[in-house]
Amino acid sequence: MGPLTFDALLRSLKQGALDPAYYLHGDEGVLKDEAVAALLARAVDPEARAFNVDQRSVTDLDPVQFDTLVNTPPLLGATRLVVLRGLEQLRKATRLHTALLGYLASPNPTTVLVLVQGAGEPPDRALAERATTVAVEPLPPARVERWMAHRARQLGLELAPEASELLLAAVGNDLAALAQELEKLTALTASTGQPASRADVAALVGVRRGETLQDLVDAALDRAGARAAQLVEPVLAQAGMSGVRVVTALAAALLGTALARAELERGAPGPRLETLLLGHLRRIRPFGVGSWEATAARWARWAERWESGELSGALRLALAADRGLKSTTLTDERGLVEQLVLSLAVREQVAA
């Protein structure tokens, strides 16, 4: 059986007995923490958690310490939960890795072991074959909106609809950043008892209507260079924003437009283009592009405004900007991004 999804793990915890070991990997750290919390809630009664929960890093353990952790009997309860983090730092063929594989071959029935691997690393095949594996990947855009609403309810925060819209536009699909901003909004509105408004989000995150990253990308791909350049300074001033993030968003939009242009040149009829692009998005499941329906509509619209050669040139410009932004000698982040968006508006320069 292949790895479970995050949703499948949650469903399994409601339906049957716990498995002896779980291996969480993938790129969404916030959901890994939520998975660990769900396993904790299912495995150990609240009054017994002081005695029956251990969370450690593999870098702090040797085989003897690991054996003690997983084979200590529970106290005042039926089950212990042991969470080991940092699995991406555990190298194969080490003594601890060998001990872990040996334990998984015959696990302690009174211990639930949860192995948590950081983002950016492929799963360890040997661990995946011996534990219940959960691939914890970023949520699609529609799920991010529902996740944000759920997290707000957990915090006792009420968000006005326009506040939710602006927060998503400003922060994007980064769950960790959204969680942080929701906590700030909770503190900000605690004394008033009123729902968080668009003005609260604008004041806290530093973004106003018409000045989001998506607004900048829209202007640049619409080839409205002056408008895009005007947006660079207020967008870069927003919390958590950087020139690299702006250029990455522009490059993603250019790649999507190139895909749409290729579909057009292969003979895809205009009315069906958005449907084809939406199918691509659902298969690829890209991170950070916002609503897939809105993204497909944008790519289809921009495909009518860009030639293939221009898109190739624009991507080269974006790559050069990205390299410049990552250079240690860079002194003018705003100027470099402004130069890029202005260049995208000039057909002759982009096509060169």
Side-chain angles (χ1 to χ4, degrees):
M1 183 179 71
L4 299 177
T5 63
F6 174 74
D7 289 339
L9 170 67
L10 297 185
R11 288 194 298 270
S12 73
L13 296 181
K14 297 177 181 178
Q15 294 171 353
L18 288 166
D19 293 330
Y22 293 85
Y23 174 38
L24 312 180
H25 67 84
D27 291 336
E28 187 47 79
V30 170
L31 294 185
K32 288 177 194 171
D33 289 340
E34 292 188 5
V36 171
L39 286 163
L40 171 61
R42 179 70 172 77
V44 185
D45 292 334
E47 59 272 15
R49 289 177 188 172
F51 310 103
N52 293 321
V53 178
D54 278 293
Q55 299 203 46
R56 301 285 291 276
S57 170
V58 295
T59 59
D60 299 331
L61 292 177
D62 60 29
V64 173
Q65 293 168 323
F66 168 72
D67 181 75
T68 300
L69 272 177
V70 293
N71 288 310
T72 297
L75 181 63
L76 302 178
T79 310
R80 274 172 47 79
L81 183 81
V82 176
V83 181
L84 296 187
R85 298 183 181 272
L87 266 292
E88 71 279 4
Q89 301 178 62
L90 181 60
R91 300 303 171 215
K92 297 177 182 178
T94 61
R95 292 173 58 230
L96 181 57
H97 189 270
T98 301
L100 177 54
L101 293 181
Y103 171 79
L104 292 175
S106 182
N108 183 345
T110 63
T111 294
V112 175
L113 176 62
V114 183
L115 308 171
V116 184
Q117 180 172 299
E121 293 290 333
D124 182 318
R125 183 177 299 178
L127 295 179
E129 290 173 349
R130 292 165 173 81
T132 298
T133 303
V134 186
V136 188
E137 301 298 347
L139 296 174
R143 285 290 307 283
V144 172
E145 187 172 0
R146 294 201 296 273
W147 178 91
M148 184 180 71
H150 176 70
R151 177 59 67 93
R153 287 194 296 271
Q154 288 180 321
L155 294 170
L157 171 67
E158 186 178 354
L159 286 165
E162 64 273 13
S164 298
E165 178 186 350
L166 183 59
L167 185 57
L168 281 172
V171 178
N173 296 341
D174 186 331
L175 299 191
L178 280 172
Q180 185 178 43
E181 298 304 332
L182 289 170
E183 289 172 1
K184 292 178 185 176
L185 284 168
T186 302
L188 181 68
T189 59
S191 60
T192 67
Q194 298 297 315
S197 66
R198 172 181 279 272
D200 292 328
V201 173
L204 194 65
V205 185
V207 60
R208 295 182 295 179
R209 183 190 294 271
E211 293 184 353
T212 68
L213 175 59
Q214 187 61 62
D215 291 318
L216 192 160
V217 172
D218 287 350
L221 272 291
D222 283 338
R223 312 188 88 152
R227 172 60 180 157
Q230 290 172 349
L231 288 171
V232 171
E233 183 174 7
V235 168
L236 286 177
Q238 294 166 19
M241 193 60 64
S242 68
V244 170
R245 183 175 170 189
V246 172
V247 171
T248 299
L250 288 167
L254 288 166
L255 285 170
T257 304
L259 173 63
R261 186 68 201 179
E263 291 286 7
L264 277 180
E265 293 178 355
R266 280 197 290 265
R272 289 193 57 242
L273 183 56
E274 285 187 34
T275 302
L276 285 171
L277 295 173
L278 186 56
H280 287 309
L281 285 164
R282 286 172 173 159
R283 284 190 294 274
I284 301 168
R285 301 175 65 86
F287 177 67
V289 300
S291 163
W292 290 346
E293 289 79 4
T295 297
R298 288 188 181 98
W299 290 356
R301 183 179 81 246
W302 293 330
E304 301 285 354
R305 304 184 182 190
W306 290 80
E307 299 294 334
S308 295
E310 292 179 319
L311 288 163
S312 297
L315 284 165
R316 288 194 293 271
L317 290 174
L319 177 59
D322 181 73
R323 288 172 176 167
L325 288 164
K326 293 174 180 176
S327 168
T328 57
T329 61
L330 176 67
T331 58
D332 186 11
E333 181 180 56
R334 189 187 78 181
L336 198 155
V337 178
E338 286 179 348
Q339 180 182 3
L340 173 61
V341 297
L342 287 169
S343 297
L344 297 183
V346 180
R347 292 181 181 274
E348 292 78 11
Q349 183 172 343
V350 172

